[in-house]
Amino acid sequence: MIRALLALLAMLAGPALALEFNLPSNARQTVVRNTAPDIYDAPVGVFANGQVPVVTVEGEVRRSAWRVSSPGLTPFQVMRPLREQLIEAGFEIMLDCRAKTCGGFDFRFATETLPGPNMYVNIRAFQFVTGMRKTGDTVTEVVTLFASTSATSAYVQIIHAGTLSEDTVVIETAAARPVSNGQAVQNDFASQLFQQGHAVLADLEFETGATTLGAGPFETLVQLAAFLKAQPQMRIVLVGHTDTTGGLQGNIAISRARAAAVRQRLIDAHGADPERMDAQGMGYLAPLASNLDVAGREKNRRVAVVLLGED
């Protein structure tokens, strides 16, 4: 009886307010992925006890990512107007957290995220918001907003799921361009790691087809060791990459061995803590450039460092 009454009241109240997002005028859509019928697990809590609490919504799932070409922004600058627009449309905010309070690396990888480069997430600089609409006790509509920033751009992911009409969400790009908070964007190694979450160790030298690291010294390893010393709780993974010469499994083995050689050099020559470093290999699965020419293949042969978060 109560459920029927609530449903009747919802019908008499008329259609829900349209959800309109007004992104900055320099925002550009990078990807759209819509699926129906589908299931979306919307985060409603921070990462704790090995998991992120979610509410599962069935129906249509609409996903999009946007890039805002403005350097020096913070995730809060990007998220604040979008969160206000979500509230104005009648959504109840169920989760509003920032990188560390969300759970950092663990939260990011337990949450559905569109793949890069269309959506970039800096694990030290992001904000996440979940809003819901209900009919009675039933969640009928959910929106999650994911904002993150790099040194040069901001990225926004919008996921809208549930019982959706054709014009439920309108996304425009007419808002004023956000202005940097005035903090200078530094280009040193530590700043790049913090702002982008990863960096290529560009001065390393390996012989072609070999896994032995050259004698060095290598400035990037000096800077990485200094970074680890200054950030004693930070964990990293070293990831090796190759070009497409040879088979996949062989290239994965070579790239992993090169990453392991870099890890060992950090331990032996710079006193880095081995418990805070892992080594993995991707082979040729994540190229930076075309493998059809010599310059591209040379760029793809690399070892990168990726921040994993704090212990």
Side-chain angles (χ1 to χ4, degrees):
M1 181 67 179
I2 295 177
R3 285 183 178 274
L5 180 58
L6 289 171
L8 178 60
L9 290 173
M11 292 176 63
L12 293 175
L17 293 173
L19 175 56
E20 298 181 358
F21 286 124
N22 193 3
L23 294 169
S25 60
N26 58 337
R28 297 294 179 267
Q29 191 174 74
T30 59
V31 68
V32 175
R33 188 164 72 88
N34 300 332
T35 52
D38 203 351
I39 298 173
Y40 177 53
D41 292 326
V44 291
V46 302
F47 183 89
N49 301 318
Q51 63 182 355
V52 172
V54 300
V55 166
T56 300
V57 182
E58 298 181 0
E60 185 176 359
V61 182
R62 301 174 184 171
R63 309 167 182 86
S64 65
W66 302 75
R67 181 174 182 266
V68 182
S69 299
S70 296
L73 299 178
T74 66
F76 181 69
Q77 285 178 280
V78 180
M79 179 65 78
R80 181 169 57 179
L82 301 178
R83 183 182 61 189
E84 291 174 354
Q85 292 160 23
L86 193 63
I87 294 171
E88 288 173 1
F91 281 78
E92 179 183 359
I93 302 301
M94 306 300 296
L95 174 64
D96 184 354
C97 64
R98 291 174 293 168
K100 190 172 183 178
T101 55
C102 289
F105 174 85
D106 295 313
F107 179 90
R108 181 258 180 267
F109 283 97
T111 303
E112 181 176 339
T113 308
L114 290 164
N118 297 311
M119 178 61 192
Y120 168 73
V121 178
N122 178 349
I123 60 173
R124 296 188 63 85
F126 70 79
Q127 186 168 352
F128 194 95
V129 168
T130 298
M132 291 183 179
R133 279 176 173 161
K134 298 180 181 179
T135 299
D137 294 330
T138 303
V139 176
T140 56
E141 201 176 341
V142 63
V143 171
T144 60
L145 304 173
F146 208 163
S148 186
T149 55
S150 69
T152 60
S153 303
Y155 293 81
V156 177
Q157 173 181 280
I158 301 173
I159 298 182
H160 188 203
T163 305
L164 311 181
S165 62
E166 185 65 28
D167 58 350
T168 303
V169 175
V170 176
I171 301 177
E172 298 180 343
T173 54
R177 297 189 179 195
V179 179
S180 169
N181 58 13
Q183 297 177 353
V185 177
Q186 302 178 37
N187 293 317
D188 64 4
F189 189 81
S191 294
Q192 182 181 355
L193 275 178
F194 277 135
Q195 292 164 357
Q196 299 185 5
H198 60 88
V200 174
L201 305 174
D203 60 343
L204 302 184
E205 295 178 354
F206 292 92
E207 293 184 10
T208 302
T211 60
T212 302
L213 181 61
F218 302 110
E219 180 60 24
T220 56
L221 295 190
V222 173
Q223 293 188 44
L224 179 54
F227 171 84
L228 291 171
K229 184 177 181 180
Q231 306 292 331
Q233 303 302 315
M234 191 63 63
R235 296 178 293 126
I236 64 169
V237 59
L238 298 156
V239 184
H241 302 267
T242 67
D243 59 28
T244 53
T245 304
L248 176 58
Q249 294 307 314
N251 274 295
I252 288 177
I254 289 174
S255 60
R256 184 185 296 116
R258 287 180 172 177
V262 174
R263 176 181 180 273
Q264 196 61 48
R265 179 66 59 86
L266 285 165
I267 296 169
D268 295 341
H270 301 282
D273 182 357
E275 297 300 320
R276 296 166 55 201
M277 301 183 293
D278 194 8
Q280 298 293 335
M282 291 289 292
Y284 53 66
L285 295 177
L288 290 178
S290 170
N291 281 292
L292 299 179
D293 55 62
V294 174
R297 290 192 293 273
E298 182 176 348
K299 189 174 184 179
N300 290 333
R301 295 191 296 269
R302 67 198 188 279
V303 175
V305 55
V306 178
L307 292 184
L308 295 182
E310 298 182 350
D311 291 328

